[in-house]
Amino acid sequence: MSHIVTVQEAVTAFGDFMEPTDAELDAIEREMPVILADVDLLDAYITALDRTPTELDNRRIRRARRRALAARLAQLNQTDGASLPGGAA
């Protein structure tokens, strides 16, 4: 008879050093508005996917697309300003 064993210890044995660093968590936090805007855009696409899109669906998609682009633009502007010494343009 063959015994079934778990590999839980082998999987979690490396967990301590696999955690995200503070810098990685900060990067995720900075990208969160873009991530959420992309989720809203995908949600708008998925809503209109199984039927013929109505004018309301088209407006929702356009609005979500504009928010996603605005979030990306805001992130780029923050990144560009942070990378310049002294904040000068």
Side-chain angles (χ1 to χ4, degrees):
M1 180 156 126
S2 170
H3 293 284
I4 298 173
V5 295
T6 63
V7 292
Q8 185 68 26
E9 290 181 26
V11 172
T12 58
F14 302 106
D16 291 340
F17 66 87
M18 292 180 66
E19 293 295 321
T21 64
D22 288 340
E24 291 170 336
L25 291 173
D26 289 341
I28 292 170
E29 188 68 31
R30 282 191 306 272
E31 292 177 11
M32 192 54 68
V34 174
I35 294 168
L36 294 175
D38 285 343
V39 168
D40 288 341
L41 179 58
L42 286 172
D43 187 44
Y45 280 134
I46 290 169
T47 300
L49 192 64
D50 63 344
R51 63 176 186 247
T52 303
T54 63
E55 182 58 34
L56 185 61
D57 292 331
N58 289 332
R59 276 190 259 162
R60 184 175 181 215
I61 291 170
R62 282 194 305 267
R63 240 181 287 127
R65 188 180 299 136
R66 282 194 301 265
R67 274 182 275 168
L69 291 173
R72 285 192 177 103
L73 182 64
Q75 182 186 17
L76 285 174
N77 286 337
Q78 288 175 354
T79 304
D80 288 343
S83 65
L84 294 175

